[in-house]
Amino acid sequence: MAEGPVGYDDIDVHVERLKSFGLVRSVDRAIDKDTEMHPLVRWQYRGGIAEADRKAFLFANVVDAKGRSYPGARVVIGALAGNRQIYALGMKRPEAEIGKAWLDAIAHPIPPRQVSAAPCQEVVETGETLSQPGHGLDALPIPISTPGYDTAPYLTAALWFTRDPDSGIQNMGLYRGNLKAPDRLAVMMERSTLAGGGVHWLKYRKRGQPMPVAVVLGAPPIVAFVGPQKLPLDCDELTVAGGLAGCPINVVKCKTVDLLVPAESQVVIEGMIDTDRLEPEGPFGESHGYMALEEYNFSMRVTAITRRPSYTITSIISQVTPSESSVIKKVAYEPLYLAHLRDGLNIKGVVRVSMHEPLTNLRPFVFLILKKGTPKSEIWRALMGAASLTPAIGKFCIALDEDIDPEDTDHVLWAIAYRSNPLTDTHVVPNRGKGHGPALKGSDTDATMLIDATAKGDYPPVALPKKEYMDRARALWEELKLPPLRPQSPWSGYSLGDWSEEWDACAARAVRGDWIANGRRSAAHMSITAEPQDPARDIRFEGD
């Protein structure tokens, strides 16, 4: 077992904790990992279930399409970020503290601690046995994510460890892994996002050497959350995981490659990635919501698989968003972007950053919420700063007012429609990275569009009944036992500055039934010089 105290949970302890909060659906009947498992969990993302009601699914009786079982193995989906509460429990802190925790961990990393023995190495398989059917990768219950389109089982929650051959610094990334044979995997390390493993591969190719790699399945959640994070290439992600945990992450040296992996992992796949040849990989249903078609990617030859005697493999729901994959990114990316704009660029008017999740998968749309009165120059600095932080995020960056809910796309479109002028409030920045998504036909380069959809001055009130009347009506609704309500913003009217006490007084008379008095007011101010639609702003009620 690992040496020394551990201040973080492994995946099994985490799942038990989720159970105590009622956040796990345990499925004991046989479930086919190739045809049933991911489609079953997918329904909680495509079936109209609110995010707060999503849960982790634990499968203890896994079979494959040929009826083969996997004794001692469990698969859990949704245990990392089925919803925000699950993520927060994995981080071992309230959701409100997660953003600050990320910033503190990045600013104050804690190096890992090497141990001599580890749970993930109690069972070791090496040599020729790895290539035999029923052994190696073929012995692991890896699900098919998109049955009917994916060409093989895929690792979706695997952490890939590589080492920079120049600096010696390790990198950890979350990449998709295509099972090819009991002893062979293919992996896509995306060029457009400067994946650390891909950068290391280029260096090994230049040296004419294969690249050592270790793939971790079922990492402790505090480590798994760092995998999708966008950190500098010279940052060892395990040190940031230590910062999140408040203590060093226990690591153990692999059996056949010179890499360190979390000691409390469930399964570790070791091997070498070929730098002479690439292998066709895919198709695979990707997080941008389309099938990633077959393309050439890295080929890994497995040299060892180590694991616990009984183990739990984590798999994540990705593909069309919302998904577990998008929640993992959203909760972490948004506070980092806010800190970049507010603290790094010193733009004090920015109060929130939100990334659009459903279908678009966070990267293309970045919404910036700014305080009323933020100078125009600062709004545009914020837009350009958001677009430039990482190469593949921010195809559309949109500045919004505080009264606009960025989580409601209709709300955002409302702001764009009436608070922006395409001629003066948009700007297109050329030569953006292509980003994550299917190739855009007929275009060799991509661009970023910046939109200032903040109000240019005061606006009239939102045309809904004031809150007091909507509250009264809701109480009546419930008294009448009408169907449960799910209020959508805006659900009551509010002022945006262009409103007067005189008009408030007129409205108050109307709800008292004294609307005829308002008619006398307007009759007293008839005009023979006004044109149709001229404003009538300064007239007063003269009384009886």
Side-chain angles (χ1 to χ4, degrees):
M1 297 295 291
E3 300 166 357
V6 176
Y8 52 91
D9 295 335
D10 69 12
I11 191 65
D12 289 330
V13 173
H14 172 64
V15 168
E16 291 304 309
R17 188 161 183 238
L18 294 182
K19 286 182 179 179
S20 71
F21 282 84
L23 290 169
V24 177
R25 298 187 192 278
S26 295
V27 182
D28 297 322
R29 59 153 287 185
I31 295 292
D32 185 339
K33 74 177 185 66
D34 295 325
T35 63
E36 297 176 331
M37 186 178 289
H38 267 248
L40 177 67
V41 184
R42 170 63 64 187
W43 268 115
Q44 78 171 349
Y45 295 94
R46 303 310 301 167
I49 296 175
E51 181 187 305
D53 296 327
R54 299 176 198 152
K55 300 181 186 296
F57 280 69
L58 180 64
F59 301 95
N61 186 359
V62 183
V63 299
D64 68 5
K66 297 181 179 180
R68 184 177 52 159
S69 61
Y70 298 84
R74 305 190 301 174
V75 177
V76 65
I77 304 175
L80 297 176
N83 63 25
R84 287 172 177 264
Q85 184 185 5
I86 291 172
Y87 185 104
L89 288 169
M91 289 280 279
K92 304 187 77 169
R93 47 178 53 87
E95 185 183 337
E97 297 178 11
I98 289 175
K100 183 178 184 300
W102 274 110
L103 300 177
D104 290 346
I106 293 169
H108 305 288
I110 298 176
R113 172 179 53 216
Q114 188 168 349
V115 298
S116 58
C120 63
Q121 292 182 337
E122 292 183 32
V123 177
V124 179
E125 188 175 61
T126 59
E128 294 183 2
T129 306
L130 287 166
S131 64
Q132 302 303 310
H135 292 272
L137 300 173
D138 196 32
L140 302 177
I142 309 301
I144 291 179
S145 295
T146 323
Y149 292 103
D150 290 355
T151 56
Y154 260 84
L155 307 181
T156 57
L159 299 175
W160 295 69
F161 289 80
T162 58
R163 188 186 300 279
D164 188 314
D166 298 331
S167 69
I169 297 174
Q170 283 199 171
N171 180 270
M172 177 183 76
L174 181 71
Y175 314 126
R176 72 185 193 223
N178 181 175
L179 272 61
K180 293 292 187 179
D183 62 348
R184 198 171 85 255
L185 273 169
V187 56
M188 191 276 282
M189 299 177 177
E190 195 168 38
R191 286 183 299 173
S192 65
T193 59
L194 295 178
V199 173
H200 292 176
W201 183 86
L202 292 173
K203 293 184 177 185
Y204 280 99
R205 184 175 67 170
K206 188 174 182 180
R207 290 170 172 234
Q209 300 172 352
M211 181 171 72
V213 63
V215 189
V216 168
L217 308 181
I222 207 75
V223 177
F225 292 145
V226 186
Q229 192 59 274
K230 300 303 179 185
L231 299 172
L233 288 173
D234 60 352
C235 173
D236 182 342
E237 283 83 356
L238 285 174
T239 67
V240 176
L244 288 174
C247 67
I249 302 299
N250 288 329
V251 293
V252 66
K253 187 175 180 179
C254 290
K255 295 294 186 180
T256 60
V257 293
D258 186 17
L259 291 166
L260 300 173
V261 293
E264 289 82 23
S265 302
Q266 301 282 317
V267 178
V268 180
I269 305 166
E270 304 175 12
M272 305 295 288
I273 290 182
D274 195 337
T275 55
D276 292 327
R277 298 177 299 172
L278 299 176
E279 180 174 359
E281 178 266 331
F284 173 70
E286 261 290 4
S287 57
H288 47 64
Y290 298 90
M291 291 300 299
L293 302 182
E294 196 168 20
E295 60 188 20
Y296 282 98
N297 279 311
F298 304 149
S299 183
M300 170 190 174
R301 180 67 62 177
V302 178
T303 56
I305 294 180
T306 70
R307 61 173 176 84
R308 302 183 183 207
S310 295
Y311 59 94
T312 303
I313 285 178
T314 50
S315 182
I316 61 174
I317 291 288
S318 187
Q319 294 86 37
V320 173
T321 52
S323 66
E324 186 179 6
S325 173
S326 61
V327 172
I328 287 174
K329 297 181 182 75
K330 184 177 176 68
V331 178
Y333 284 8
E334 290 176 349
L336 290 182
Y337 267 72
L338 178 60
H340 166 65
L341 298 173
R342 188 178 58 194
D343 305 328
L345 298 181
N346 198 31
I347 304 171
K348 299 302 183 185
V350 182
V351 296
R352 180 183 175 188
V353 175
S354 177
M355 296 179 171
H356 186 258
E357 184 180 12
L359 298 182
T360 59
N361 188 31
L362 306 177
R363 296 174 178 90
F365 285 92
V366 180
F367 303 136
L368 313 180
I369 309 301
L370 294 109
K371 291 180 180 178
K372 184 176 181 179
T374 299
K376 185 175 182 178
S377 60
E378 292 300 278
I379 293 173
W380 282 98
R381 276 213 312 134
L383 287 167
M384 289 184 283
S388 62
L389 179 57
T390 57
I393 295 178
K395 185 172 184 175
F396 297 92
C397 297
I398 304 171
L400 301 164
D401 296 297
E402 287 184 273
D403 71 297
I404 299 299
D405 180 4
E407 301 294 323
D408 185 337
T409 311
D410 293 340
H411 227 200
V412 174
L413 293 177
W414 184 41
I416 294 173
Y418 295 108
R419 302 185 187 185
S420 70
N421 180 342
L423 184 63
T424 59
D425 296 326
T426 65
H427 179 64
V428 176
V429 182
N431 302 315
R432 173 185 174 272
K434 287 186 177 181
H436 187 60
L440 189 62
K441 301 294 189 292
S443 179
D444 294 330
T445 61
D446 210 339
T448 288
M449 174 172 278
L450 311 178
I451 303 174
D452 176 8
T454 60
K456 315 305 185 288
D458 292 334
Y459 269 57
V462 173
L464 289 167
K466 281 187 176 180
K467 183 176 183 297
E468 60 191 281
Y469 303 106
M470 291 300 292
D471 285 340
R472 186 185 308 172
R474 185 169 186 180
L476 177 59
W477 179 283
E478 292 170 355
E479 179 186 327
L480 296 172
K481 301 187 184 306
L482 297 174
L485 295 173
R486 296 173 59 186
Q488 294 179 300
S489 181
W491 55 266
S492 65
Y494 54 90
S495 175
L496 288 167
D498 191 5
W499 192 248
S500 69
E501 292 181 0
E502 175 72 13
W503 290 329
D504 257 338
C506 288
R509 284 191 289 272
V511 296
R512 292 196 304 266
D514 294 335
W515 56 271
I516 291 177
N518 292 333
R520 290 197 299 271
R521 167 185 172 275
S522 60
H525 291 85
M526 288 187 179
S527 172
I528 61 173
T529 59
E531 295 291 335
Q533 280 78 61
D534 277 357
R537 286 184 169 273
D538 300 318
I539 65 175
R540 293 287 182 266
F541 180 68
E542 305 298 339
D544 293 323

